Amino acid sequence: MGVFVLIPRLKPAEQWFSDTFSFLPFVGGPVAGPNYFIAGLILAIMILPIVTAISREVILTVPSANKEAALALGATRWEMIRMAVLPYSRAGIVGASMLGLGRAIGETIAVTLVIGNPRRSARRSSRRATRWPR
C-alpha cells in the first residue's frame, strides 16, 4: 500500500531534490518510481512505531523522585528531561533503536519488492536497479 501511495506523491519532491543536489555523488538524473529513497522511507515508517513505543515505556520507568528532585533544585522542564530522564533511560532508548534496526534488516522483502529485485545496484539513488532476466 505504501508503494502505491508514496511513489506518486513523492516523485515531484524527489525530482526537485535530484535536480538541486545533482552535484552530490549518487544523486541526480531522472527519478524512477520505485527506488532506494522510497524503500528507505517505507522502512523508516515501518520501524517508527516500535521504536517510539519502547522508548516511551522506558522513559515512563524513570522514578518520579528523580524528576521531582531535579525540578526542586530549580531545573526547568527541559533541563529535568536532559539531566534526569535521558541519562536514566539512555540504555533503553538505544535498545529500542537496535530493535528497530533489527526489524528493518528483517524486512528485506519490503525493500526487495519496492526496488524491484535488483541483481546490481543503481549508480544513482533516484534510478531503478536492474532486474534479473526472466
Side-chain angles (χ1 to χ4, degrees):
M1 183 66 175
V3 176
F4 301 115
V5 174
L6 286 177
I7 290 175
R9 292 184 187 222
L10 289 178
K11 197 164 186 172
E14 282 185 271
Q15 190 61 55
W16 172 84
F17 185 84
S18 177
D19 294 340
T20 305
F21 296 103
S22 60
F23 60 90
L24 294 173
F26 304 112
V27 179
V31 175
N35 53 39
Y36 296 121
F37 174 73
I38 296 293
L41 190 62
I42 289 173
L43 285 177
I45 291 170
M46 290 172 69
I47 67 168
L48 190 65
I50 193 166
V51 172
T52 306
I54 294 172
S55 297
R56 182 178 183 272
E57 290 296 322
V58 168
I59 289 171
L60 288 177
T61 63
V62 176
S64 59
N66 288 11
K67 295 186 234 178
E68 291 172 2
L71 292 173
L73 290 172
T76 64
R77 184 174 179 192
W78 288 107
E79 290 172 335
M80 179 265 303
I81 291 170
R82 186 172 42 109
M83 298 164 75
V85 174
L86 288 180
Y88 190 85
S89 59
R90 181 174 292 135
I93 294 172
V94 169
S97 301
M98 292 297 114
L99 282 172
L101 181 63
R103 182 173 178 199
I105 291 171
E107 295 290 345
T108 55
I109 189 68
V111 174
T112 303
L113 290 174
V114 169
I115 294 176
N117 199 10
R119 76 181 137 127
R120 65 183 172 94
S121 297
R123 291 190 185 255
R124 301 208 177 258
S125 63
S126 61
R127 291 191 186 154
R128 182 184 297 226
T130 58
R131 295 177 184 242
W132 287 101
R134 292 185 187 217

